[in-house]
Amino acid sequence: MNTKASCFLLLLIFCSALLKPAFAQEPVAQQPFRVGVVLSGGGAKGVAHVGALKVLEEAGIRIDYIGGASMGAIIGGLYATGWTAAALDSILRANNLGKILQDEITRDFQPFFEKQYGEKYALSLSFKDYKVALPQALSNGQTAFDFMSELTDGVSSIETFDKLPVPFLCIGTDVSNGKQVVMERGCLPCAMRASGSLPGVLAPVEVDGRLITDGGVVNNFPAKEVRDKGMDIVIGITVEAALYTKDELQSIEKIIEQVGSYQMEARSREQMQYCDIVIRPDFTGYGVTSFDATDTLVLRGEHAAREFWDRLMEIARQQKLAPAPENVVTLSPHDECPMHINAVHLTPNKAITTQALLKKFPVTLPGDITFAKFREGIAALYATDNFQYIDYHFQTAPDGTRELYIRPKLKPGYERRLRLGLHFDNVYKSSLLLNGTFRNVLFKNSVAALDLIIGDKLRYNFHYFVDRGNRPGFGYNSRLNLTNLFIDLPVKVDVGGAYALQKLLFNLSDFTQDVYLNLASNNHFAAGLAVELKFFKTATSQAVDYLTEEDYIDEKGWYSAGKAFFHWDSRDRLFFTRSGWLIGAEARVIEPMSSKKYAETGRKTGWNFDLRAQWALPHTARFTTRFSADAGLTRGAPAPPYRYFLGSNNLNLINNFRPFIGLPFAKATGDNLLKTGVSAQYNLYKSHYLTLSGQVAWLGNTLKPFSDGKGLFRSLGLSYGLDTPLGPVELTYGLSNRGSEVYFNLGYWF
């Protein structure tokens, strides 16, 4: 081999030796390209996050971590459980977040005792250690917690938030020291609820022994916290408002908001340096309470995100080129199948027993229940107004069954309450209502309420009831009613000079004691038996040996009665009702014990059967039709206390008094009654209502048929009403075949 060939061969071998390690080296594994998203707080404006997330999904971006504060924590936490942006959009449109955050409990969940006797107070104060117990905030946030718990139930067994379908963190503020708390484990809905506890609006939440309030107080935009989770790209979506200019600071509301925003705005500016993209929707004309503008706010979030469309598409392309991180868990939060609860554990407390608690749920527990039905039970429990907050959690066994743990936090001063009311009407005139309500008197799960009514006539009501859960409850009622009745004389009576009497003024006294047994009851009805003792007196000092036009009976006597009753109330509201039923049915056997009327003939037994029914049928969001029917039948000896009285728009009904527009109070009376009516109610604007009504009634005595024309009454009424915190304010004109009347009433009836 010649020299040139030898040199070339040696060079080739040398180059091969140098290149061999390079070709033999294993390829370096490419790391996942991770994207984090940060959602700021901002009240109602936070729903715009959903619109921005929809655009991120449309661009194909995979969110590998999500974090937020306040409303951003709520939206981010729901997204982390597996809800898509489109699903969250539907949830927001189907639920009024404003009402949810206000803890608005519908009348449907109120205890029946409260429906019967408690809806007449304009002001309520609780007392603890003889001091007024003030609430921590306008809302305790129970409904918000229930709402979040249902939506996150699919991942309730996950206690570490980085194991969620989308890893998650949120920010809270420790109320005791003002320090930031990063919540990454524990109860997810508790963390979301705590982070969203806007001071003064939502009460703080105890989490792991610390009292936590709104995370936006210390860190409203946790971009660094998300970046530190190993994110390559951080996309921030902020719904924070810019500081007002000097010219805009013209109200106390804006000045207070501005002062509270200094620290938040400065901290958020620092956090934005950790973001690669910051999406800022335009919120001109909208604020933190604009929950009724969900459609617009979501759309503005979409528009703001689309301004970064090209960059978002590039980020999605980079993610696709890199391997995806391991999918830790894939769960669907949309499962509506019932959960099986095999045990219920209640933390011992003074307000409620386990039996009474279980009665609040619409299905039998332990047993199968959907989360929606479970929420109904919690709402009914919260509606007792004994609890500031009801904490609960589930422990899930390997076979999927659950044990329920309920830990209610009692409302400070719940056992002692002072309530006040004001009222004016044509019959009782001006009245002031003072009420003392006391819990757990003599028996656990008991309520005692004393009404003292100060006006032209002193009146009182006392109610006591013991709730025994699924076993029959029992109670005692006592009342004193004093009022005046004007009864027509057949002809005018000359009393001397230029004076003549056309009407006699009767003083009516009704003193009633009632002991009853609720054989069956729930939030909608009560059915049972009762024993009644009544003193009834009607007298006039204006004349003796008189004869009234309506055959009215002068009476003074004691009566005893046994009765069976059934009461049903599913109305959505007490006044200006839009939907639901009211039914009252009672059957009495009456025995006079001492009676002026029966002094000569001795005791005589009578029977009274009474039925009242009302039904409200909504046709549109503003227009409602209401129907009513009353029937009363007396057999045996008629008893004056249980005669039927028609007249006025009075709703403070005692015995068998019935309203009838177009007649004065108690204008007509009889032993038997048939009455029917229909009204059309239109919601003019917010709390303003216009009602047109018509009624027909027949009154008759025991020996006279209903068809007697003398007992026929017809009327038409027109009413303008306003729903206020003091109760309804109404001006009514009634025209009947016996004359016309104008009525005015202000405040709840009592």
Side-chain angles (χ1 to χ4, degrees):
M1 181 180 297
N2 57 35
T3 305
K4 289 184 178 180
S6 300
C7 291
F8 179 76
L9 181 58
L10 290 173
L11 181 62
L12 183 60
I13 293 172
F14 177 74
C15 290
S16 299
L18 290 176
L19 292 174
K20 183 175 181 180
F23 286 116
Q25 184 178 357
E26 294 292 331
V28 178
Q30 188 177 6
Q31 295 298 315
F33 189 78
R34 299 176 182 271
V35 176
V37 171
V38 185
L39 309 179
S40 79
K45 296 179 295 183
V47 302
H49 290 315
V50 174
L53 289 172
K54 289 170 71 174
V55 175
L56 266 60
E57 287 183 351
E58 185 181 341
I61 289 178
R62 181 192 66 247
I63 298 176
D64 299 305
Y65 216 103
I66 191 165
S70 196
M71 183 60 78
I74 296 172
I75 300 297
L78 294 177
Y79 193 85
T81 65
W83 292 101
T84 64
L88 290 177
D89 190 7
S90 298
I91 292 170
L92 291 175
R93 296 175 195 273
N95 296 274
N96 188 323
L97 286 186
K99 291 185 177 181
I100 290 173
L101 295 176
Q102 292 170 19
D103 257 356
E104 183 171 294
I105 300 293
T106 64
R107 190 172 184 267
D108 192 50
F109 299 114
Q110 286 184 358
F112 197 76
F113 180 89
E114 189 71 12
K115 290 180 180 179
Q116 284 186 299
Y117 307 118
E119 297 180 302
K120 51 191 173 186
Y121 308 108
L123 177 65
S124 179
L125 298 173
S126 297
F127 288 85
K128 184 177 183 180
D129 299 329
Y130 303 100
K131 297 179 182 179
V132 175
L134 297 176
Q136 292 181 315
L138 296 176
S139 169
N140 290 320
Q142 182 68 51
T143 309
F145 175 69
D146 297 340
F147 176 71
M148 297 174 203
S149 295
E150 181 176 7
L151 294 176
T152 60
D153 185 54
V155 295
S156 60
S157 60
I158 298 177
E159 296 185 355
T160 304
F161 299 166
D162 62 7
K163 302 299 184 183
L164 292 168
V166 178
F168 170 72
L169 64 82
C170 62
I171 304 299
T173 303
D174 191 324
V175 179
S176 64
N177 55 32
K179 294 183 179 179
Q180 171 176 296
V181 179
V182 180
M183 291 178 283
E184 301 177 86
R185 61 177 295 109
C187 171
L188 177 60
C190 289
M192 295 160 57
R193 161 69 181 83
S195 182
S197 300
L198 182 64
V201 177
L202 284 179
V205 178
E206 186 175 330
V207 179
D208 295 333
R210 294 177 295 187
L211 195 62
I212 306 298
T213 191
D214 195 327
V217 174
V218 292
N219 185 0
N220 200 46
F221 194 66
K224 181 179 186 300
E225 286 72 14
V226 172
R227 173 71 77 174
D228 289 346
K229 295 300 179 180
M231 298 299 106
D232 299 292
I233 292 288
V234 174
I235 300 173
I237 306 170
T238 177
V239 295
E240 296 173 313
L243 295 176
Y244 293 114
T245 65
K246 183 183 72 173
D247 294 336
E248 292 174 323
L249 294 170
Q250 301 298 322
S251 69
I252 185 173
E253 177 186 4
K254 288 186 176 180
I255 291 175
I256 293 175
E257 183 181 348
Q258 183 91 327
V259 172
S261 297
Y262 295 146
Q263 181 180 355
M264 182 186 298
E265 197 269 343
R267 180 69 187 273
S268 294
R269 277 202 312 269
E270 295 176 1
Q271 289 279 33
M272 286 179 188
Q273 66 180 319
Y274 297 100
C275 294
D276 299 278
I277 295 176
V278 178
I279 299 171
R280 290 177 175 272
D282 175 20
F283 294 111
T284 304
Y286 297 93
V288 295
T289 61
S290 301
F291 288 102
D292 56 347
T294 296
D295 293 354
T296 301
L297 296 175
V298 170
L299 192 60
R300 291 197 176 190
E302 289 187 44
H303 289 166
R306 289 194 186 281
E307 295 179 7
F308 298 90
W309 181 256
D310 291 341
R311 293 184 64 185
L312 296 177
M313 290 292 289
E314 174 60 24
I315 293 171
R317 187 187 68 81
Q318 289 179 276
Q319 280 187 309
K320 292 174 183 177
L321 291 177
E326 294 183 8
N327 191 13
V328 178
V329 65
T330 55
L331 294 176
S332 172
H334 318 294
D335 188 5
E336 293 294 335
C337 294
M339 51 186 171
H340 182 78
I341 296 177
N342 55 19
V344 178
H345 306 278
L346 172 65
T347 301
N349 66 92
K350 296 180 180 180
I352 196 167
T353 63
T354 300
Q355 284 294 323
L357 178 143
L358 294 177
K359 185 180 176 182
K360 297 297 182 182
F361 290 91
V363 300
T364 302
L365 292 180
D368 292 338
I369 188 172
T370 64
F371 210 101
K373 291 295 182 182
F374 174 77
R375 280 187 63 186
E376 290 181 13
I378 295 296
L381 186 61
Y382 184 70
T384 62
D385 208 25
N386 294 333
F387 307 106
Q388 179 176 332
Y389 189 70
I390 301 167
D391 187 17
Y392 54 84
H393 69 276
F394 302 96
Q395 284 190 358
T396 305
D399 62 357
T401 60
R402 298 182 176 190
E403 291 192 14
L404 170 62
Y405 292 81
I406 296 182
R407 186 182 63 176
K409 181 179 180 181
L410 298 180
K411 180 180 289 188
Y414 82 98
E415 292 178 296
R416 302 177 183 88
R417 191 167 299 162
L418 173 66
R419 300 193 279 189
L420 305 173
L422 294 170
H423 183 77
F424 174 85
D425 69 88
N426 299 56
V427 176
Y428 290 99
K429 308 304 180 183
S430 298
S431 300
L432 170 66
L433 171 62
L434 301 176
N435 168 269
T437 299
F438 307 91
R439 306 278 180 176
N440 300 327
V441 178
L442 300 180
F443 295 94
K444 198 171 184 179
N445 297 338
S446 68
V447 55
L450 175 63
D451 290 337
L452 183 63
I453 303 165
I454 304 171
D456 291 352
K457 301 283 187 178
L458 183 66
R459 296 174 283 142
Y460 84 84
N461 297 299
F462 176 74
H463 307 289
Y464 179 76
F465 177 65
V466 179
D467 184 358
R468 302 178 69 230
N470 292 322
R471 293 174 291 178
F474 59 89
Y476 167 69
N477 294 327
S478 175
R479 73 168 189 247
L480 172 65
N481 279 276
L482 303 174
T483 190
N484 295 327
L485 305 175
F486 289 93
I487 306 301
D488 290 340
L489 294 169
V491 294
K492 289 185 179 181
V493 177
D494 188 1
V495 295
Y499 298 99
L501 280 178
Q502 179 66 66
K503 300 175 183 291
L504 290 180
L505 174 64
F506 278 75
N507 296 314
L508 183 149
S509 303
D510 183 281
F511 179 59
T512 302
Q513 314 302 307
D514 188 33
V515 178
Y516 64 94
L517 183 67
N518 271 2
L519 298 177
S521 65
N522 62 20
N523 291 338
H524 288 144
F525 81 96
L529 302 172
V531 177
E532 194 172 78
L533 177 66
K534 181 185 293 290
F535 173 77
F536 185 81
K537 177 183 177 181
T538 56
T540 179
S541 59
Q542 294 179 323
V544 295
D545 297 328
Y546 53 83
L547 178 65
T548 64
E549 189 176 78
E550 295 292 338
D551 191 25
Y552 193 80
I553 299 171
D554 196 357
E555 169 65 333
K556 178 181 179 181
W558 286 89
Y559 289 79
S560 62
K563 69 178 180 181
F565 62 86
F566 174 81
H567 297 152
W568 175 279
D569 190 347
S570 61
R571 294 173 295 174
D572 65 328
R573 53 195 304 179
L574 183 61
F575 299 103
F576 308 110
T577 307
R578 292 198 65 251
S579 65
W581 282 86
L582 173 67
I583 299 174
E586 296 185 350
R588 300 183 184 90
V589 55
I590 306 160
E591 182 75 17
M593 300 173 63
S594 66
S595 169
K596 180 178 179 179
K597 176 184 176 184
Y598 298 124
E600 298 179 358
T601 59
R603 294 183 178 181
K604 290 188 177 180
T605 303
W607 292 267
N608 174 243
F609 306 93
D610 183 68
L611 174 66
R612 292 188 300 138
Q614 296 176 16
W615 177 41
L617 177 64
H619 301 287
T620 68
R622 294 183 178 272
F623 181 65
T624 301
T625 302
R626 291 197 295 267
F627 305 91
S628 65
D630 293 72
L633 181 65
T634 301
R635 286 292 179 265
Y642 299 99
R643 285 174 67 86
Y644 290 90
F645 292 85
L646 283 183
S648 85
N649 67 333
N650 172 48
L651 294 182
N652 178 32
L653 303 176
I654 61 171
N655 302 336
N656 287 333
F657 282 65
R658 295 290 186 272
F660 196 88
I661 293 175
L663 296 179
F665 177 66
K667 166 68 175 179
T669 181
D671 293 320
N672 301 298
L673 169 70
L674 280 180
K675 175 174 170 282
T676 185
V678 62
S679 64
Q681 172 185 286
Y682 188 76
N683 184 194
L684 296 170
Y685 174 72
K686 290 187 177 180
S687 299
H688 298 257
Y689 296 86
L690 189 67
T691 304
L692 178 66
S693 61
Q695 293 177 302
V696 178
W698 293 266
L699 267 176
N701 292 321
T702 303
L703 301 178
K704 295 181 180 180
F706 285 124
S707 59
D708 186 350
K710 184 180 178 181
L712 177 64
F713 299 87
R714 299 182 301 272
S715 76
L716 289 174
L718 182 64
S719 175
Y720 175 79
L722 179 64
D723 197 9
T724 75
L726 291 176
V729 178
E730 292 180 295
L731 180 64
T732 304
Y733 173 74
L735 176 64
S736 74
N737 60 335
R738 306 297 174 91
S740 63
E741 293 286 325
V742 176
Y743 313 98
F744 175 75
N745 63 275
L746 181 153
Y748 294 108
W749 290 88
F750 49 77

